[in-house]
Amino acid sequence: MTASQVVALGIDVGSTTVKIVGVDGEGNLAWHWLEQAEPRVEDQVERFLVRARQVIRPAESGGTIPLVATGYGRRLVRQATRGVTEITCHAKGVYRELAHGGTLVDIGGQDSKVIGISPRGDVTDFSMNDKCAAGTGRFLENTANRLGVPLECMGQVALSALEEVSISSTCTVFAESEVISLIAHGVAVEPILKGLHRSLIRRVVAMIRTVGLAPPLMLSGGVVQNQAIARMLEEETGEKVVIPRYPQLMGAYGAALVALGMRN
Ligand code: ADP
């Protein structure tokens, strides 16, 4: 990646992380930066832009660089030329990266979405869950804390389980109580974690059914870094899962492509 080639920027102000992506004149991902989201969004965005200005040297292009904002906090980015929905931006980023349509599942820190993308890159339908933590990263994070397993290891630990415990609660708060009760009954961490992953995946599969599955199945969002997610989604759907190079950056990448004025 070469920051000096950046001619347009996209920023994704998510509920859990903030991401900024710079693209070159051909729409290639040339630079990025990611941080955990902070309560003072405006200050954090300003810091991101200061960092961008330092590395991408806009003076060479003779002026300011267009910036498009997306994500749940996009309206707070007053420096943006435009705000665009996450649905449009994720679809755009993934379509450009993978060069085909299909069904995209984005699992973020506090929301999840399923987006149908046509062979030409247009959004055909979508379903979004941002009202409840089930089916999001938060669902696993809360319970992993209880189990003393670091976030980065959850997937591996779940996949190492020889058995699986069924978790009946889809609600994060009740699932946490269920986990506490299982621990108290001496159940091992691995089967509990596998059961929690199963619960998350089934929730996502229910969303996929409402939109309809048009293969290939594609995954984006930070939770994809958990290896068990793709593996178990393949198990539950029988479909192979395709993952772009930078799954957590796809929203910001799509926003940068809009800033560049790129059609599909
Ligand atoms: P949002 O766009 O909603 O802010 P992201 O798509 O950036 O969220 O995803 C953030 C979530 O990704 C975190 O809350 C966490 O659950 C998950 N995550 C991040 N890194 C890892 C990792 N290494 N392993 C497993 N999960 C991860």
Side-chain angles (χ1 to χ4, degrees):
M1 291 200 223
T2 319
S4 60
Q5 298 168 341
V6 169
V7 297
L9 290 168
I11 188 162
D12 178 358
V13 183
S15 55
T16 311
T17 63
V18 181
K19 294 77 74 173
I20 190 165
V21 159
V23 291
D24 66 18
E26 274 81 53
N28 300 307
L29 204 156
W31 174 76
H32 79 274
W33 187 252
L34 179 151
E35 284 178 12
Q36 293 301 308
E38 292 172 8
R40 291 174 189 278
V41 178
E42 288 98 333
D43 294 350
Q44 188 172 20
V45 167
E46 187 49 43
R47 275 206 331 272
F48 265 63
L49 296 179
V50 167
R51 178 176 283 274
R53 279 182 218 113
Q54 282 165 355
V55 293
I56 61 185
R57 288 177 275 158
E60 282 176 12
S61 62
T64 51
I65 287 185
L67 168 74
V68 166
T70 189
Y72 131 112
R74 66 180 175 275
R75 287 181 189 86
L76 296 171
V77 185
R78 54 185 159 65
Q79 302 89 337
T81 337
R82 260 180 87 186
V84 177
T85 71
E86 296 114 284
I87 305 291
T88 301
C89 289
H90 273 271
K92 230 178 181 27
V94 167
Y95 184 74
R96 162 78 198 204
E97 187 64 24
L98 297 176
H100 56 67
T103 304
L104 171 64
V105 178
D106 175 77
I107 311 178
Q110 286 186 49
D111 66 28
S112 45
K113 17 191 184 295
V114 175
I115 307 170
I117 305 175
S118 78
R120 297 185 52 187
D122 300 314
V123 173
T124 53
D125 198 3
F126 71 91
S127 168
M128 182 157 173
N129 161 35
D130 58 0
K131 300 281 180 288
C132 149
T136 74
R138 177 57 68 86
F139 179 77
L140 289 180
E141 272 175 60
N142 274 19
T143 36
N145 263 343
R146 280 281 175 186
L147 294 170
V149 178
L151 184 67
E152 300 72 29
C153 307
M154 278 188 314
Q156 247 175 324
V157 174
L159 289 175
S160 73
L162 300 175
E163 289 174 1
E164 186 174 328
V165 173
S166 166
I167 306 284
S168 55
S169 320
T170 40
C171 167
T172 307
V173 178
F174 290 137
E176 202 175 329
S177 311
E178 217 175 319
V179 166
I180 293 166
S181 159
L182 288 165
I183 297 168
H185 284 89
V187 180
V189 167
E190 292 83 354
I192 300 177
L193 256 184
K194 183 106 182 247
L196 284 167
H197 279 71
R198 185 75 61 198
S199 172
L200 182 148
I201 293 296
R202 290 206 168 136
R203 185 74 182 209
V204 168
V205 170
M207 281 175 72
I208 294 175
R209 289 212 184 97
T210 66
V211 172
L213 173 51
L217 193 53
M218 306 173 282
L219 260 182
S220 67
V223 178
V224 179
Q225 289 165 97
N226 173 335
Q227 308 152 26
I229 298 296
R231 183 89 69 84
M232 292 176 72
L233 192 57
E234 286 181 343
E235 265 174 41
E236 286 288 324
T237 60
E239 289 293 335
K240 176 140 183 46
V241 166
V242 188
I243 304 175
R245 271 182 307 165
Y246 304 102
Q248 202 168 5
L249 301 179
M250 288 301 100
Y253 182 40
L257 292 172
V258 176
L260 187 65
M262 250 195 174
R263 300 253 331 126
N264 294 332

